Amino acid sequence: MENADDKFAPLRKGLLEFATLKVIAKESVYAADILARLASTEFATQEGTLYPLLSKMRQDGLLDYEWQESEAGPPRKYYRLTAKGRERLAETERYWQRIITTLRRIGA
Amino acid sequence: MNKVTTISLAGNAYQVEEAGYERLTTYLADARAALAGNPDAEEIIRDLEAAIGEKLARRMGPHANVASEAQVAEALEEMGPVDPSAGAERAAKAQGDAGAGPKRLYNLPSKAVVCGVCAGIAAYFDLDPTVVRLAFVAATLLTGGGWILFYAIMAVFVPYAKTPEEEARAAGAPFTAEEVVARAKEGWAQLKKSGAEWKRYAREEKRRRREEALAWRRSDRDYGYRYYRHGPTFLEELIQLAIVVAILAAVYAFIPETRGVYHALGADIQQAWAWLNARVAR
C-alpha cells in the first residue's frame, strides 16, 4: 500500500475519481474488485478512502449500484456508471489529454 | 484464554476477542466522526462493516470461529482510516451555497417602511421591495382592508432579522430540491413529535385535574367546607387580565422596536372593526 512518492499524493488523490470511473466503466464491479484492480497501480487505495468516494460519486449521480447475491456471504453492491457518469468520464478523458498536451508544449 | 464478544457487522454475527472488539469500536467511532455531516454516513458505515466482516471471515478460516485481536488489527490496517474529505467537501459546498445557512423568511426592520414584512418577502423572492409594497397596497384596496390582517399576522409571527447573518439569510441562495425535501421531512418529524408530546401533556393534564377534583371533594368531606371549587372567580380573572395588559404595556414602553407591531395591530383591529360594522349595518 505504501507509495514511496508521497510528494505526489495530492495528485493521485485528485485523479482517484478518474481512475475509479475508468474501472467501473469497463464492467459493473463490486467494491473489492475496484480495490483489487487499483492495488497494483499507483492508485492503490483502501476501503476507508474508496467507500466515502463511491458514496460521493453516487450522490453526484455519477454511479449507481444494485445488490447481487454472492456465492459466499451477504449480498454485495455492484456499481455501474450512470449516463452522467459516462459523460463525466469522457469529459475527464478529454481534459486529461488537454493537460498532457499543454504540459508537453510548455516544456518544448 | 481470552474473553470473547459476539458482534454484528452489517447484520452478520462474528465472534471476536474483547481487545479486538475495542479496536473495532474505536475504528467505527473514528469513521463516524470522519463522516459527520455526510448524508450517507450510515450507509457508508454499513459498507465498511460488511468489508471488515469479509476480511475477518477470510482470516478465520474453516476451523476457527473467533477472530483474534491480531486478526482484527490486520483487517483494520487493510481498511485504512476513513477519509473525511469526500463528505467534508460536499458539506462545505452546501454551506457556501446558502451563505450562513438555509434561506428563510424574515421581516427586515433595517429596510422597513412599516415593519419590514414587504422588504422580507422581497428579499426572499428576490423582487423589488417597491413592487411587493405596491402589491400589498393593491391587495389591501381589493380586499377592503382585509389584507392588512394578513400583514399584521406576518408582522407578529415572522421573526425579525436582528443580526447581519439573519439579514444575509433572508436573501440567501434558493434551496435545492434536496434541501426542501430534507426540511419537509424534518418539519414533519418535529410535528409528529410535538403532536405526541401534546397528547401526552393533555392526558397528564386531564389526570391531574381529575385528581385535584377528587382531592377537593375529599377535603370537602373532611373539613366540612368548600374550597376553591369553581375555579378562578371573576375578580381573579380580572386580575389576570390586568397583569397581561400591564406586561404588554411594559413591552410597548420599554422596547421601542415592538411599537410598529402594536401600531399595525391597532390599525388593523380598527379596520377590521369598521369592516365588520359596515357588514352588520348593511
Side-chain angles (χ1 to χ4, degrees), chain B residues 4 53 73 78 90 112 121 148 157 180 188 203 226 257 264 273:
Chain B
V4 166
E78 249 184 58
R90 212 181 162 77
I121 291 173
I148 293 202
F157 289 106
V180 170
W188 174 240
R203 246 197 329 268
R226 295 175 174 207
E257 294 93 285
W273 185 243

Side-chain angles (χ1 to χ4, degrees), chain A residues 30 46 59-60 65 77, chain B residues 43 47 54 77 79 90:
Chain A
Y30 160 56
Q46 297 174 291
Q59 284 174 18
D60 290 344
Y65 64 77
K77 275 180 184 172
Chain B
E43 195 183 339
D47 290 349
E54 278 184 25
E77 181 68 27
M79 296 288 295
R90 212 181 162 77

